[in-house]
């Protein structure tokens, strides 16, 4: 491919930034190009470098629902706890998407099952609210606390349908 030919150049700068400070890897993840992202990471691009004001690489992959990109970034050292622009952890975003495969990857790499969004809602509470039995089971299986309260004192048990 063209990208592999470019990457064969000895002096290629993998961390070159465009005017919005986005790197080639950020752009590949944003566009969902797993093969290109893999080539860039293999060549030495940083899995956790994200431009100021933009989504993190891992959050981009999670929001895209890309199991392959999420797995790749986690394997290359992306922080499973790194918050998005909206200050939400990837676990919370995976629950909001109803993406059990991505959620399982994140939890398997040590992401907290008790993460909260900026409003104080836990991932487990959101999963219960969504009636997402897969996410509830995954979160509880990784130690989510079913007694954590949101503002007002409610726990996930209050939200069950």
């Amino acid at each position: 491919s063209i990208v592999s030919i470019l990457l064969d150049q000895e002096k290629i700068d993998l961390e070159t930034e465009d005017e919005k400070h986005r790197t080639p890897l950020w752009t590949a993840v944003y566009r969902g190009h797993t093969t290109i992202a893999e080539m860039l990471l293999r060549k030495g691009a940083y899995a956790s470098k994200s431009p100021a004001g933009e989504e993190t690489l891992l959050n981009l992959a999670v929001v895209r629902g890309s199991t392959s990109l999420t797995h790749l970034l986690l394997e290359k050292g992306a922080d499973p706890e790194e918050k998005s622009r909206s200050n939400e952890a990837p676990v919370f975003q995976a629950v909001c998407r109803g993406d059990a495969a991505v959620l399982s990857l994140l939890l398997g790499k040590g992401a907290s099952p008790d993460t909260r969004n900026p409003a104080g809602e836990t991932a487990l509470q959101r999963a219960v609210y969504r009636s997402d039995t897969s996410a509830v089971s995954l979160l509880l299986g990784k130690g989510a606390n079913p007694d954590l309260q949101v503002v007002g004192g409610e726990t996930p048990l209050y939200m069950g349908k």
Side-chain angles (χ1 to χ4, degrees):
S1 74
I2 296 293
V3 173
S4 61
I5 294 169
L6 291 169
L7 289 175
D8 282 343
Q9 303 307 302
E10 296 223 4
K11 295 184 180 184
I12 190 124
D13 184 358
L14 300 173
E15 301 304 322
T16 298
E17 297 178 354
D18 68 11
E19 62 189 19
K20 294 184 179 179
H21 306 288
R22 298 174 297 204
T23 63
L25 179 58
W26 190 94
T27 302
V29 172
Y30 177 79
R31 292 179 179 164
H33 296 306
T34 305
T35 303
I36 294 172
E38 188 172 17
M39 288 189 289
L40 289 163
L41 287 163
R42 199 173 329 121
K43 188 76 173 178
Y46 299 115
S48 58
K49 183 178 180 183
S50 299
E54 296 286 353
E55 283 298 352
T56 67
L57 291 168
L58 186 58
N59 278 296
L60 282 174
V62 170
V63 168
R64 288 192 72 74
S66 176
T67 306
S68 59
L69 282 169
T70 300
H71 175 75
L72 180 63
L73 291 167
L74 289 168
E75 288 300 312
K76 294 295 185 175
D79 180 359
E81 294 285 325
E82 189 175 12
K83 307 273 188 192
S84 69
R85 269 192 317 204
S86 58
N87 203 30
E88 289 181 346
V91 162
F92 199 86
Q93 292 177 323
V95 168
C96 288
R97 288 188 43 78
D99 196 329
V102 168
L103 177 60
S104 180
L105 284 172
L106 294 164
L107 293 170
K109 282 294 185 177
S112 172
D114 286 325
T115 188
R116 292 179 182 262
N117 70 5
E121 179 184 28
T122 67
L124 182 59
Q125 288 162 331
R126 176 56 63 97
V128 169
Y129 177 77
R130 295 183 81 252
S131 299
D132 187 338
T133 55
S134 294
V136 169
S137 295
L138 283 167
L139 291 163
L140 289 172
K142 287 294 185 174
N145 182 348
D147 294 321
L148 289 179
Q149 298 175 319
V150 293
V151 177
E154 292 181 345
T155 67
L157 196 54
Y158 285 78
M159 299 172 182
K161 298 178 184 177

Short mmCIF file of all heavy atoms in Angstrom, two decimals, residues 89-96 103 107 112-117 120-130 132 135-136 139 144 148 150 156:
data_model
loop_
_atom_site.label_atom_id
_atom_site.label_comp_id
_atom_site.label_asym_id
_atom_site.label_seq_id
_atom_site.Cartn_x
_atom_site.Cartn_y
_atom_site.Cartn_z
N ALA A 89 -14.98 8.24 30.93
CA ALA A 89 -14.03 7.15 30.72
C ALA A 89 -14.53 6.25 29.59
O ALA A 89 -15.75 6.16 29.35
CB ALA A 89 -13.86 6.34 32.00
N PRO A 90 -13.62 5.57 28.91
CA PRO A 90 -14.03 4.66 27.83
C PRO A 90 -15.05 3.60 28.27
O PRO A 90 -15.94 3.26 27.50
CB PRO A 90 -12.71 4.01 27.41
CG PRO A 90 -11.66 5.00 27.75
CD PRO A 90 -12.15 5.66 29.01
N VAL A 91 -14.96 3.12 29.52
CA VAL A 91 -15.93 2.13 30.01
C VAL A 91 -17.34 2.71 29.93
O VAL A 91 -18.28 2.04 29.48
CB VAL A 91 -15.60 1.68 31.45
CG1 VAL A 91 -16.78 1.02 32.12
CG2 VAL A 91 -14.41 0.72 31.44
N PHE A 92 -17.50 3.93 30.39
CA PHE A 92 -18.82 4.55 30.39
C PHE A 92 -19.33 4.71 28.96
O PHE A 92 -20.50 4.46 28.67
CB PHE A 92 -18.78 5.91 31.10
CG PHE A 92 -20.13 6.37 31.53
CD1 PHE A 92 -20.65 5.97 32.74
CD2 PHE A 92 -20.90 7.17 30.71
CE1 PHE A 92 -21.93 6.37 33.14
CE2 PHE A 92 -22.17 7.57 31.08
CZ PHE A 92 -22.68 7.17 32.31
N GLN A 93 -18.43 5.09 28.05
CA GLN A 93 -18.84 5.25 26.66
C GLN A 93 -19.24 3.92 26.03
O GLN A 93 -20.19 3.85 25.26
CB GLN A 93 -17.72 5.92 25.86
CG GLN A 93 -17.52 7.36 26.29
CD GLN A 93 -16.38 8.02 25.57
OE1 GLN A 93 -15.37 7.40 25.30
NE2 GLN A 93 -16.54 9.29 25.27
N ALA A 94 -18.52 2.86 26.36
CA ALA A 94 -18.86 1.53 25.83
C ALA A 94 -20.24 1.10 26.34
O ALA A 94 -21.04 0.53 25.59
CB ALA A 94 -17.80 0.51 26.22
N VAL A 95 -20.53 1.37 27.60
CA VAL A 95 -21.84 1.04 28.16
C VAL A 95 -22.93 1.84 27.44
O VAL A 95 -23.98 1.30 27.08
CB VAL A 95 -21.88 1.28 29.69
CG1 VAL A 95 -23.30 1.22 30.22
CG2 VAL A 95 -20.99 0.27 30.40
N CYS A 96 -22.68 3.13 27.24
CA CYS A 96 -23.67 3.98 26.55
C CYS A 96 -23.95 3.48 25.13
O CYS A 96 -25.07 3.60 24.65
CB CYS A 96 -23.19 5.43 26.50
SG CYS A 96 -23.24 6.24 28.10
N LEU A 103 -16.48 -3.19 25.85
CA LEU A 103 -16.51 -3.11 27.31
C LEU A 103 -15.66 -4.22 27.92
O LEU A 103 -14.86 -3.98 28.83
CB LEU A 103 -17.95 -3.20 27.82
CG LEU A 103 -18.12 -3.19 29.33
CD1 LEU A 103 -17.57 -1.91 29.95
CD2 LEU A 103 -19.60 -3.37 29.68
N LEU A 107 -12.38 -3.63 30.37
CA LEU A 107 -12.34 -4.20 31.72
C LEU A 107 -11.20 -5.20 31.86
O LEU A 107 -10.54 -5.27 32.89
CB LEU A 107 -13.69 -4.85 32.06
CG LEU A 107 -14.86 -3.88 32.20
CD1 LEU A 107 -16.18 -4.65 32.29
CD2 LEU A 107 -14.67 -2.96 33.40
N SER A 112 -11.60 0.62 35.41
CA SER A 112 -12.46 0.51 36.59
C SER A 112 -13.91 0.26 36.19
O SER A 112 -14.47 0.99 35.39
CB SER A 112 -12.39 1.80 37.41
OG SER A 112 -13.36 1.76 38.45
N PRO A 113 -14.54 -0.75 36.80
CA PRO A 113 -15.96 -0.99 36.53
C PRO A 113 -16.85 0.03 37.25
O PRO A 113 -18.04 0.11 36.99
CB PRO A 113 -16.19 -2.40 37.06
CG PRO A 113 -15.18 -2.56 38.14
CD PRO A 113 -13.98 -1.76 37.69
N ASP A 114 -16.26 0.81 38.16
CA ASP A 114 -17.04 1.78 38.93
C ASP A 114 -16.85 3.21 38.44
O ASP A 114 -17.12 4.16 39.17
CB ASP A 114 -16.65 1.70 40.42
CG ASP A 114 -17.21 0.46 41.09
OD1 ASP A 114 -18.33 0.05 40.73
OD2 ASP A 114 -16.52 -0.09 41.96
N THR A 115 -16.43 3.37 37.20
CA THR A 115 -16.22 4.71 36.66
C THR A 115 -17.54 5.49 36.66
O THR A 115 -18.62 4.91 36.54
CB THR A 115 -15.62 4.63 35.24
OG1 THR A 115 -15.25 5.94 34.85
CG2 THR A 115 -16.58 4.05 34.24
N ARG A 116 -17.41 6.79 36.82
CA ARG A 116 -18.58 7.67 36.84
C ARG A 116 -18.47 8.70 35.72
O ARG A 116 -17.38 9.10 35.33
CB ARG A 116 -18.67 8.42 38.16
CG ARG A 116 -18.98 7.53 39.35
CD ARG A 116 -19.03 8.37 40.63
NE ARG A 116 -19.28 7.57 41.80
CZ ARG A 116 -20.48 7.41 42.35
NH1 ARG A 116 -21.53 8.02 41.84
NH2 ARG A 116 -20.63 6.66 43.43
N ASN A 117 -19.62 9.16 35.26
CA ASN A 117 -19.63 10.27 34.30
C ASN A 117 -19.61 11.59 35.09
O ASN A 117 -19.67 11.57 36.33
CB ASN A 117 -20.82 10.16 33.33
CG ASN A 117 -22.16 10.41 34.00
OD1 ASN A 117 -22.25 10.77 35.17
ND2 ASN A 117 -23.22 10.23 33.25
N GLY A 120 -21.98 12.05 37.90
CA GLY A 120 -21.88 11.15 39.05
C GLY A 120 -22.50 9.78 38.84
O GLY A 120 -22.45 8.93 39.72
N GLU A 121 -23.09 9.55 37.67
CA GLU A 121 -23.71 8.26 37.37
C GLU A 121 -22.61 7.22 37.10
O GLU A 121 -21.65 7.50 36.40
CB GLU A 121 -24.59 8.43 36.14
CG GLU A 121 -25.28 7.18 35.68
CD GLU A 121 -26.07 7.41 34.40
OE1 GLU A 121 -25.69 8.29 33.59
OE2 GLU A 121 -27.04 6.68 34.21
N THR A 122 -22.77 6.02 37.65
CA THR A 122 -21.79 4.98 37.41
C THR A 122 -22.13 4.23 36.12
O THR A 122 -23.28 4.27 35.64
CB THR A 122 -21.73 3.96 38.55
OG1 THR A 122 -22.96 3.23 38.60
CG2 THR A 122 -21.46 4.62 39.90
N ALA A 123 -21.13 3.52 35.60
CA ALA A 123 -21.34 2.71 34.40
C ALA A 123 -22.41 1.64 34.67
O ALA A 123 -23.24 1.35 33.81
CB ALA A 123 -20.04 2.07 33.96
N LEU A 124 -22.39 1.07 35.87
CA LEU A 124 -23.39 0.06 36.22
C LEU A 124 -24.80 0.66 36.24
O LEU A 124 -25.74 0.05 35.73
CB LEU A 124 -23.06 -0.57 37.58
CG LEU A 124 -24.00 -1.68 38.05
CD1 LEU A 124 -24.03 -2.84 37.05
CD2 LEU A 124 -23.58 -2.17 39.43
N GLN A 125 -24.93 1.84 36.78
CA GLN A 125 -26.25 2.49 36.79
C GLN A 125 -26.75 2.74 35.37
O GLN A 125 -27.92 2.50 35.07
CB GLN A 125 -26.18 3.80 37.59
CG GLN A 125 -26.04 3.53 39.07
CD GLN A 125 -25.54 4.72 39.85
OE1 GLN A 125 -24.80 5.56 39.35
NE2 GLN A 125 -25.93 4.79 41.12
N ARG A 126 -25.86 3.17 34.49
CA ARG A 126 -26.27 3.39 33.10
C ARG A 126 -26.66 2.08 32.44
O ARG A 126 -27.63 2.02 31.69
CB ARG A 126 -25.15 4.08 32.33
CG ARG A 126 -25.42 4.30 30.84
CD ARG A 126 -26.72 5.08 30.55
NE ARG A 126 -26.71 6.41 31.05
CZ ARG A 126 -26.43 7.49 30.37
NH1 ARG A 126 -26.11 7.40 29.10
NH2 ARG A 126 -26.48 8.67 30.93
N ALA A 127 -25.90 1.03 32.69
CA ALA A 127 -26.21 -0.28 32.10
C ALA A 127 -27.57 -0.78 32.59
O ALA A 127 -28.37 -1.31 31.80
CB ALA A 127 -25.12 -1.29 32.44
N VAL A 128 -27.86 -0.59 33.87
CA VAL A 128 -29.17 -1.00 34.41
C VAL A 128 -30.26 -0.16 33.77
O VAL A 128 -31.30 -0.69 33.35
CB VAL A 128 -29.19 -0.88 35.96
CG1 VAL A 128 -30.60 -1.02 36.51
CG2 VAL A 128 -28.26 -1.91 36.58
N TYR A 129 -30.06 1.14 33.70
CA TYR A 129 -31.04 2.04 33.09
C TYR A 129 -31.34 1.63 31.65
O TYR A 129 -32.49 1.67 31.21
CB TYR A 129 -30.52 3.48 33.14
CG TYR A 129 -31.43 4.47 32.48
CD1 TYR A 129 -32.58 4.91 33.13
CD2 TYR A 129 -31.15 4.97 31.21
CE1 TYR A 129 -33.44 5.82 32.52
CE2 TYR A 129 -32.00 5.87 30.60
CZ TYR A 129 -33.13 6.30 31.25
OH TYR A 129 -33.98 7.19 30.64
N ARG A 130 -30.32 1.18 30.93
CA ARG A 130 -30.48 0.75 29.54
C ARG A 130 -31.01 -0.68 29.43
O ARG A 130 -31.22 -1.17 28.34
CB ARG A 130 -29.14 0.83 28.80
CG ARG A 130 -28.60 2.22 28.65
CD ARG A 130 -27.29 2.27 27.85
NE ARG A 130 -27.62 2.24 26.44
CZ ARG A 130 -27.40 1.19 25.63
NH1 ARG A 130 -26.84 0.11 26.06
NH2 ARG A 130 -27.72 1.26 24.37
N ASP A 132 -29.34 -3.33 29.91
CA ASP A 132 -28.29 -4.03 29.17
C ASP A 132 -27.72 -5.14 30.06
O ASP A 132 -26.77 -4.92 30.81
CB ASP A 132 -27.21 -3.04 28.75
CG ASP A 132 -26.16 -3.64 27.84
OD1 ASP A 132 -25.99 -4.88 27.84
OD2 ASP A 132 -25.48 -2.86 27.13
N ALA A 135 -23.86 -5.88 29.74
CA ALA A 135 -23.00 -4.90 30.41
C ALA A 135 -23.10 -5.05 31.92
O ALA A 135 -22.08 -4.99 32.63
CB ALA A 135 -23.37 -3.48 29.97
N VAL A 136 -24.30 -5.24 32.44
CA VAL A 136 -24.47 -5.43 33.89
C VAL A 136 -23.66 -6.63 34.36
O VAL A 136 -22.91 -6.55 35.34
CB VAL A 136 -25.97 -5.58 34.27
CG1 VAL A 136 -26.13 -6.04 35.71
CG2 VAL A 136 -26.72 -4.27 34.03
N LEU A 139 -19.81 -5.86 34.13
CA LEU A 139 -19.39 -4.93 35.17
C LEU A 139 -19.38 -5.59 36.55
O LEU A 139 -18.41 -5.46 37.30
CB LEU A 139 -20.28 -3.68 35.16
CG LEU A 139 -20.12 -2.77 33.95
CD1 LEU A 139 -21.30 -1.82 33.81
CD2 LEU A 139 -18.80 -2.00 34.03
N ALA A 144 -17.82 -4.37 39.94
CA ALA A 144 -18.57 -3.13 40.10
C ALA A 144 -19.38 -3.18 41.39
O ALA A 144 -19.96 -4.21 41.74
CB ALA A 144 -19.50 -2.89 38.91
N LEU A 148 -23.09 1.72 44.98
CA LEU A 148 -22.68 3.11 44.80
C LEU A 148 -23.90 3.96 44.46
O LEU A 148 -24.73 3.57 43.65
CB LEU A 148 -21.63 3.23 43.69
CG LEU A 148 -20.26 2.66 44.02
CD1 LEU A 148 -19.33 2.83 42.80
CD2 LEU A 148 -19.65 3.35 45.23
N VAL A 150 -25.85 7.60 43.26
CA VAL A 150 -25.76 8.84 42.48
C VAL A 150 -26.31 9.97 43.33
O VAL A 150 -26.79 9.74 44.45
CB VAL A 150 -26.55 8.75 41.14
CG1 VAL A 150 -25.92 7.77 40.20
CG2 VAL A 150 -27.99 8.46 41.36
N PRO A 156 -28.16 1.35 41.58
CA PRO A 156 -28.69 0.67 40.38
C PRO A 156 -30.00 -0.06 40.63
O PRO A 156 -30.85 -0.14 39.74
CB PRO A 156 -27.58 -0.29 40.02
CG PRO A 156 -26.34 0.37 40.47
CD PRO A 156 -26.73 1.04 41.77
#
